[in-house]
Amino acid sequence: MQAIKNFFKTFLLYELVKGMALTGRYFFARKITVQFPEEKTPQSFRFRGLHAQRRYANGEERCIGCKLCEAVCPALAIKIEVAEREDGTRRTTQYDIDLFKCIFCGFCEESCPVDAIVETRVLEYHGEKRGDLYYTKAMLLANGDKHEEQIAKDRAADAKYR
């Protein structure tokens, strides 16, 4: 019975007709090609792009130097050095992220107890030399200052899921 079915499928070009039907269905459908970078698609508030460090409203940096982000980073992309201040609190003296190593898993963001390190929605950045994608603490804080409004909105939208 199967041999007869296969004979008729071959004789009537069943696979070809099935393929042409699929082509015809998409030929008249609305086109979904996006002309990047002129056109942008909507981003989720959970998008994980370029890293940034945040500050409190009084301007003090949030990072307390607990090194949890460094410990959970599977790619070993984060390097932190910590020093104790006069008031007994710890703050980072060096906080570097090598974006060539980073896999943007978000573990650093999830592990941070004070929401100091976050991943922004920024996806358009580049580096022409190896050192260009090695972000220091000053660069991360500048990213945080620049995108703080969007970061705060995204954190508020994500708060009900945390």
Side-chain angles (χ1 to χ4, degrees), residues 112-129:
C112 186
V114 290
D115 290 339
I117 185 77
V118 293
E119 292 182 84
T120 63
R121 290 187 185 193
V122 177
L123 65 116
E124 296 171 0
Y125 56 92
H126 76 286
E128 297 174 2
K129 298 178 295 188

Side-chain angles (χ1 to χ4, degrees), residues 26-86:
Y26 283 103
F27 187 76
F28 295 108
R30 188 177 73 92
K31 306 298 183 248
I32 56 172
T33 303
V34 176
Q35 300 296 322
F36 186 82
E38 289 82 21
E39 289 181 55
K40 309 245 177 183
T41 57
Q43 284 182 329
S44 167
F45 58 85
R46 291 183 170 176
F47 183 83
R48 292 190 291 230
L50 186 62
H51 294 75
Q53 276 201 345
R54 299 178 70 195
R55 295 178 194 267
Y56 288 114
N58 62 3
E60 183 181 11
E61 62 187 68
R62 287 182 179 227
C63 185
I64 55 175
C66 64
K67 293 189 168 193
L68 283 175
C69 53
E70 185 181 27
V72 299
C73 182
L76 304 175
I78 300 174
K79 181 180 178 188
I80 300 173
E81 289 186 14
V82 178
E84 191 169 317
R85 295 191 309 187
E86 295 128 14

Side-chain angles (χ1 to χ4, degrees), residues 82-91 93:
V82 178
E84 191 169 317
R85 295 191 309 187
E86 295 128 14
D87 60 353
T89 60
R90 295 166 25 130
R91 289 290 186 258
T93 56

